[in-house]
Amino acid sequence: MPKVRLTHASGSVCEIYHFGATVTKYTLGNGEDIIFLSKHAVFDNATPIRGGIPVVFPQFGHNNKNMPKHGFARNREWKLDEKRCCVQRDGLVEIVMTLNESPETLKMWPFEFQLEYNVRLTAYSLQTALTITNPKLVEWSFETLLHTYLYVPSLEKSSVNGLKDAKYLDKTDDGVEREERQSDIHISGEVDRVYKASTGMLGAVACTTVKKSSGDSVRIEATCSRAANNTWTGLTPSPDIVLWNPGSMVAPPDLREEFEHMICVEPGLVSSPVTTLIQGRMTLTQTITCQKQGE
Ligand code: TA6
């Protein structure tokens, strides 16, 4: 399956498949993996790739049974916009992929749309920005998520920070709403939570840090912006953060041996669908920054 490999002068590397515009690899100059990719990931141009950063659009979950769970964007072939792929003067490497409606997507979801995905690599960061455009004066509703699987050497010795006091929907308990009490969340057992935008420390910038056993940490920062236009009737939404690890009891077969090496921290707009994007566009940006112990 076709993929693009970005290499930064520092040695950091990122790989992105055309299928789903799925980032499947992000390593630092020393070869260290930041993103988790399952050994059992299937590359058959049909099955969503397990791991990496799948792009969820236009639904999170499976309300609309005409399309796959988590939407169709992660299992469509995206186009590489070669004219806009470049190395900037400061060394940042950037590529752009796009996806538009097609006869197949219109059968599942009867709307015209444009998605543009910018992936930018530096020595210690990876930025993925998804721009969603509704070109018509037609109202549609969507959810979106950058389903980031972070690699951790040991789940038990890792913690997740930045979510204290945020309200979350606990999907392991029928979506009941709770409030996060922990500053350092240690995951043992199934965790499947939607931390709601603008609660606790989540604001216009939603920031979550995963600390690893080595003392290194990986920070995910997410923001949402929109192009000014007269047709946007609501406020610009702020990102939610989904936290997921299936644990040993409910891990799907392909993650049974590997769930202890991943934590999904997934910025998105999922706690309430966005309906206000009419003939306009908005961008969900996630920046993954790596901080080495002692630096
Ligand atoms: O984003 C969290 C979640 O929706 C979980 O509920 C779990 O289903 C997971 O994503 C993986 O979904 P997938 O369809 O990729 O197996």
Side-chain angles (χ1 to χ4, degrees), residues 1 19 24 40 51 59 66 69 71 93 102 109 117 125 138 162 169 196 201 237 251 265 278 282 290:
M1 273 163 47
F19 180 72
T24 50
H40 304 290
Q59 72 171 352
N66 292 329
K69 183 185 167 203
V93 191
S102 62
W109 193 64
Y117 198 41
S125 74
V138 171
L169 307 175
K196 293 171 81 175
M201 294 194 286
V265 176
I278 301 167
M282 56 142 284
C290 306

Side-chain angles (χ1 to χ4, degrees), residues 3-285:
K3 68 177 175 190
V4 188
R5 185 180 168 92
L6 311 187
T7 308
H8 184 264
S10 64
S12 62
V13 168
C14 169
E15 289 183 356
I16 307 122
Y17 277 80
H18 289 224
F19 180 72
T22 313
V23 170
T24 50
K25 185 183 183 74
Y26 169 34
T27 51
L28 301 182
N30 62 5
E32 184 185 335
D33 277 308
I34 302 303
I35 293 287
F36 166 88
L37 176 68
S38 170
K39 282 188 247 160
H40 304 290
V42 177
F43 296 91
D44 63 359
N45 255 323
T47 313
I49 298 170
R50 172 68 80 196
I53 311 181
V55 174
V56 171
F57 176 88
Q59 72 171 352
F60 174 61
H62 210 183
N63 278 347
N64 177 346
K65 300 279 185 270
N66 292 329
M67 64 172 121
K69 183 185 167 203
H70 292 0
F72 47 69
R74 68 176 179 169
N75 36 16
R76 308 290 315 163
E77 191 74 9
W78 290 53
K79 276 198 191 121
L80 182 66
D81 188 342
E82 288 183 25
K83 286 197 193 118
R84 295 171 62 206
C85 298
C86 61
V87 178
Q88 313 241 349
R89 233 186 285 164
D90 60 1
L92 179 149
V93 191
E94 172 163 24
I95 65 145
V96 181
M97 286 198 169
T98 61
L99 180 75
N100 285 28
E101 78 284 346
S102 62
E104 293 80 24
T105 67
L106 288 167
K107 268 186 226 147
M108 297 184 259
W109 193 64
F111 302 109
E112 292 178 35
F113 67 90
Q114 289 152 14
L115 299 184
E116 181 179 303
Y117 198 41
N118 294 57
V119 179
R120 304 180 184 112
L121 179 68
T122 74
Y124 282 102
S125 74
L126 179 73
Q127 190 172 72
T128 67
L130 179 71
T131 298
I132 300 165
T133 303
N134 174 357
K136 293 284 162 70
L137 270 174
V138 171
E139 183 177 314
W140 39 255
S141 147
F142 71 93
E143 294 153 329
T144 188
L145 189 78
L146 300 173
H147 196 309
T148 306
Y149 286 73
L150 293 177
Y151 171 78
V152 289
S154 159
L155 179 65
E156 199 192 349
K157 294 187 184 146
S158 304
S159 66
V160 182
N161 309 73
L163 297 167
K164 186 166 187 299
D165 300 331
K167 297 210 165 30
Y168 67 88
L169 307 175
D170 189 345
K171 287 172 63 186
T172 66
D173 193 5
D174 286 334
V176 70
E177 186 171 300
R178 302 186 198 283
E179 194 170 297
E180 185 56 72
R181 302 272 174 225
Q182 312 296 323
S183 320
D184 287 334
I185 303 169
H186 290 269
I187 297 178
S188 58
E190 184 190 9
V191 168
D192 194 354
R193 302 175 182 170
V194 178
Y195 286 89
K196 293 171 81 175
S198 308
T199 63
M201 294 194 286
L202 303 178
V205 178
C207 190
T208 306
T209 303
V210 172
K211 285 193 193 151
K212 304 187 196 182
S213 43
S214 56
D216 295 349
S217 58
V218 178
R219 196 165 74 124
I220 292 197
E221 193 179 283
T223 55
C224 222
S225 60
R226 64 178 165 116
N229 65 35
N230 297 330
T231 49
W232 188 295
T233 50
L235 295 171
T236 305
S238 298
D240 305 301
I241 297 283
V242 174
L243 182 64
W244 179 61
N245 183 288
S248 60
M249 303 301 279
V250 299
D254 55 351
L255 287 178
R256 251 171 229 158
E257 309 154 10
E258 296 180 292
F259 71 90
E260 286 166 307
H261 297 295
M262 52 160 271
I263 297 180
C264 285
V265 176
E266 317 163 26
L269 304 173
V270 294
S271 57
S272 46
V274 181
T275 52
T276 44
L277 181 66
I278 301 167
Q279 205 175 48
R281 67 173 190 273
M282 56 142 284
T283 303
L284 171 67
T285 303

